[in-house]
Amino acid sequence: MLRDISRILVTLVGISCAGVSAAEPPTTPVMSTTELANWIDERFAETWRKSQISPPEVVDDATFLRRVYLDLSGTVPPVSEAREFLAYEGGHKRESLIEQLLSDTRRPQKHSERTAAHWATLWRRMMVPGNSPEAQAAVSLEPWLKDQFAANVPYDQMVRQLVTAKSDGQAMMTIPANARGSSSPAMYFQVVGGKPESAANAVTRMFLGVRIGCAECHDHPFAEWKQKDFWGMAAFFSGVKNGVINDATPAVIRPENSAVEYTAAFLGSHEPVKTNGKSSRETLVDWMTSPGNQEFAATAVNRVWLHLIGRGMTDSVDDLAQPSDGERVVLDELARLFVNAKYDMRWLIGGICKSQLYQRRCVDLENDQSPPPGLRIVKTLTPEQIFNSLEQALALPVARADGSARFNGLRAQLISRMNEAASNRPDEFRAGIPQALLLMNGQLTTDATDLDRSRTLRGVLDAPFLNTEEKLTTLYLAALSRIPRADEQKFLLDHVSRQEQINKQNQAFAEIFWAILNSPEFVLEK
Amino acid sequence: MSRITRRDFAKLSLASALGVSFSGRLPALVRAAEAAPQHKSVILLWMAGGPSQTDTFDLKVGHPNGGPSQSIESAVPGIQISEHLPGVAKQMKELAIIRSLTTAEGDHDRATRLMLTGHRPGQEGVNYPSLGSLFARQLGDESSDLPHYVSVSPFRFGDAGGPGFLGPNYAPLVVSGDSSDPEARANLTIENLKPPAGVSKESIEKRFELSKFLQDDFHKSVKSQSAKAHKANFERAERMIATNAKGAFKLDEEPAALRDSYGRSRFGQGCLLARRLVERGVAFVEVTLEGWDTHADNFNAVKRLSEMLDPGWSTLISDLRDKGLLSSTLIVWMGEFGRTPKINMTTGRDHFPLAWSTVLGGAGVKGGQVVGDTGKAGTEVANRPVKIADLYATLCASIGVSPDHENISPEGRPIPLVDRGGKVVEEIAVTPPSAKEPRKS
């Protein structure tokens, strides 16, 4: 369904005409995250009532625990925390856990740091999608992104830093393959292509939810973007070239083999911009992040929603020109609340997680149909989430000196293999045979299921205070964050008790652990 | 064109088992199935680094640019190739040499991406699928137990060869022979196909039995596309392990003399593996011979490489013919670019995309001919330039795929198999009917 493109034009052009220095719209008091959660639930209750949808029930504690851990800190919880959470009988335990994962900086867990690292990975994956060498080089953006998320820098300010980043006049010709700690946001322009065209393409897609790439060579086939729109945006980035990320004055660009020169103009407006002494990219980001620019906030909200719920509020988070006005109502309202909350990411994430909507069971979708709005769908773990979860479940050492998988190549091998089949859409499972074989027979799994080398198996099987049932429960908690149901326990423990010798029984546990690590439940999030 | 799938067969045999008499269309379908062409495949012999055309297929004997390389007559009168490729020379009736390929990428990474996707890298921001993935999609049999695209010990400059926007169903299954031991190198195998040493067969069966219980349980309560995809993929991987990939990798089943004649190099044994995979219905196999980046000491290096290339390639042709597979298998020999005709200061040759050679054979290729020439000095195309899009169109035509076919990128853009303007080299292959086939999903 193609929405009238003129609406975006009105929004975008309207802003540019009004000028960015105009008085900010009157603000209302910022909601608390609990109020935001309630708002979300009320809003969707109405939607569901109208479409006569009865939403699924709220999930049990164990499902919530694994879900919120994976979504916020990108890993499954440690056994001890899972036990504690499941046993706790006080009130507000879900809200407290969400707060803890988002904001708790205390050692040893350093929850907020892990959460920041996970969201840096998610954001990097969206900014430079795919599995090209450039996409891999974009990993070097993560330290910078992590700092932003860890400090909860308002989203508009984070994007401002990124869009106006410079490489200090130095060429960034070479991209370090394993750059760690290199944290210049200017790297972004390099990895997306290092040209004004690629910068315009990437920035409008990522931050405004508009795909204008087709208009580079010809007028857009189904939206109203013209080559003028594309090159008008590209002109803002005319200082991005030959590996140097800088500003150019005047902001003009002439495409290769073209006689026409284009002056910087906001998307949808063919009026050359007045920079009033500011750099071209500052002028652009003023316009992008001005409070009235609905597309900027809506795109951000949509991307957060995608990662928490499994799909965006609209079908494509990269292309807000597609949905109809009706399909965008709630998204636009939430976007306005986000602007009112001064682009507070932690507030947005926390509010969504605290809603009942977030905590409901995933909707059953056996066919290729679209799920009703606001209902969760089963998600596939990202390559990093798979590694983090294995690291947690297998109790792998994390220090370099201990031969940690983070440093000895096993992490890199797993992530690179999984990346070959990773999707940008959380609802898609795309892994192929090489990925399955790696999880079945690769080194990490081999060590994890070896009675001498597996830390988890040794810890569980050698513990004199655990009976057979408790041993199984511990393996379940380590990998799946839940306690096995009675029928599962019976089936699996039958397998153990068929053996008489203790070493055969241990071998049976190793086989069970292998099956758990290779189960769909381990690589999917329900 | 009606292709009978295994499912159709199942339906047909069910119909006869039930004693249903079918009239009209069905008998015709049975006949069509009996006469149906066998599975089509493509084998790419990838010469990583960029092979020197002047010392392989476009010699300049007598010209200073020719250097010490000498030519021999081939089985086709008038066509001469390098003296270090005697086996290939004998098979010249099957081969068409294009001596006038002209491209515009002289950097390993970019040129590799150009040659393996048919599009200039980074063009329009599209993540182009590689040749292997394109043909895997066009020719692959959905019901096959083996993957559609197998890459034998790949070595490439840069990250090419992947499925691009076609997704992991069309990603290569990588077969490694990675070891410094020359004997072990020829023991090609799939990474992680074998369960780790020390785990008993019984234990492996137990793992899968337990696994099945956990999976069935999960699928009872979770209904999603992702869960279905996990199940399908898990089962394929399990089948690969259980059947040891249909025995495709058991090269020791082959007569020792045949293995010898392929050459006991990783490349030679890779060619043999390619034949075994093609026999089992794999649509695209890539076999790599690396080391062609001969900036120095070109002539010794090319001789050494030719001595591995020649037995592998020539035996592949004769073996495919013996097995009745040559007419359904296209063999492509190419690298990312050619090398400068002029010899440099270190007796080497540098990157040269302007005028270079590639060789096609088998399937619909009209063999025994040379297309184009590069004049006396080899410095430019003198006649009949062939561009990358023309080459891709010709590959498609040779294996009976319409070059007009379009794939749809995730953004909904139709991306043609062959870049706009590509024309089939008509001397080599006949353009198949351009009627657009319904897209396989």
Side-chain angles (χ1 to χ4, degrees), chain A residues 27 59 133 184 218 245 280 284 293 345 359 371 417-418 442 479 501:
Chain A
T27 54
V59 294
S184 164
H218 51 83
I245 315 299
S280 58
L284 175 66
N293 192 338
M345 281 298 241
Q359 300 179 24
R417 182 44 47 91
M418 293 296 156
Q501 292 164 300

Side-chain angles (χ1 to χ4, degrees), chain B residues 212-263:
Chain B
K212 184 157 183 354
F213 168 79
L214 293 184
Q215 297 211 36
D216 289 350
D217 183 67
F218 185 80
H219 295 301
K220 257 181 255 161
S221 65
V222 178
K223 311 277 183 209
S224 72
Q225 288 287 305
S226 48
K228 269 169 123 178
H230 180 276
K231 184 175 158 65
N233 188 53
F234 186 94
E235 285 169 359
R236 282 182 80 190
E238 184 183 351
R239 228 163 36 231
M240 287 259 296
I241 293 176
T243 66
N244 197 9
K246 296 183 86 180
F249 293 83
K250 291 183 182 161
L251 295 185
D252 51 12
E253 288 178 355
E254 298 286 337
L258 182 66
R259 293 193 70 180
D260 290 343
S261 91
Y262 269 98

Side-chain angles (χ1 to χ4, degrees), chain B residues 75-106:
Chain B
V76 177
I79 300 182
Q80 297 175 334
I81 63 170
S82 156
E83 60 172 334
H84 302 307
L85 298 170
V88 175
K90 284 199 191 96
Q91 302 293 344
M92 190 50 67
K93 283 183 183 149
E94 312 287 358
L95 301 173
I97 303 172
I98 299 174
R99 285 187 177 151
S100 51
L101 192 60
T102 178
T103 54
E105 297 288 353

Side-chain angles (χ1 to χ4, degrees), chain A residues 365-366 430 432 441 485 495 511, chain B residues 167-168 192 203 217 223 225:
Chain A
L365 282 179
E366 284 204 84
R430 303 179 74 190
N441 295 333
R485 292 187 321 269
H495 176 63
E511 286 153 9
Chain B
N192 301 313
S203 195
D217 183 67
K223 311 277 183 209
Q225 288 287 305

Side-chain angles (χ1 to χ4, degrees), chain A residues 130-134 136 211 213-214 216-218 222 361 363-368 378-380 413 417 420-421 427-438 440-443 446 449 476 482 485 487-488 491-492 495 498-499 507-508 510-512 514-516 518-521 523-524 526, chain B residues 109 113 122 124-125 127 145-147 158-159 163-169 171-174 190-197 199-200 202-204 206-211 213-215 217-231 233-238 240-241 411-413:
Chain A
N131 190 33
S132 61
E134 291 79 15
Q136 282 149 34
R211 282 194 170 278
C214 297
E216 178 175 348
C217 311
H218 51 83
F222 36 81
R361 236 174 62 81
V363 67
D364 285 345
L365 282 179
E366 284 204 84
N367 304 314
D368 215 1
V378 176
K379 294 195 284 182
T380 300
Q413 185 198 45
R417 182 44 47 91
E420 290 167 8
D427 61 329
E428 257 186 332
F429 181 86
R430 303 179 74 190
I433 292 171
Q435 287 73 32
L437 290 177
L438 177 66
M440 289 174 176
N441 295 333
Q443 194 63 48
T446 301
T449 49
Y476 258 75
R482 68 178 175 94
R485 292 187 321 269
D487 59 320
E488 286 174 306
F491 179 88
L492 296 172
H495 176 63
R498 249 179 281 155
Q499 307 295 339
Q507 192 53 45
E511 286 153 9
I512 291 172
W514 184 93
I516 293 174
N518 278 284
S519 69
E521 191 169 348
V523 289
L524 298 175
K526 48 173 196 169
Chain B
D109 186 346
R113 286 160 85 173
E124 300 167 315
N127 188 8
D145 283 347
L146 288 170
D159 181 60
F165 64 75
L166 291 181
N169 251 347
L173 177 78
V174 171
I190 299 176
E191 262 181 72
N192 301 313
L193 179 65
K194 278 215 171 70
V199 181
S200 70
E202 189 195 5
S203 195
I204 287 162
K206 286 275 164 51
R207 286 172 168 191
F208 280 109
E209 189 190 314
L210 294 166
S211 199
F213 168 79
L214 293 184
Q215 297 211 36
D217 183 67
F218 185 80
H219 295 301
K220 257 181 255 161
S221 65
V222 178
K223 311 277 183 209
S224 72
Q225 288 287 305
S226 48
K228 269 169 123 178
H230 180 276
K231 184 175 158 65
N233 188 53
F234 186 94
E235 285 169 359
R236 282 182 80 190
E238 184 183 351
M240 287 259 296
I241 293 176
E411 295 81 37
R413 283 168 65 179

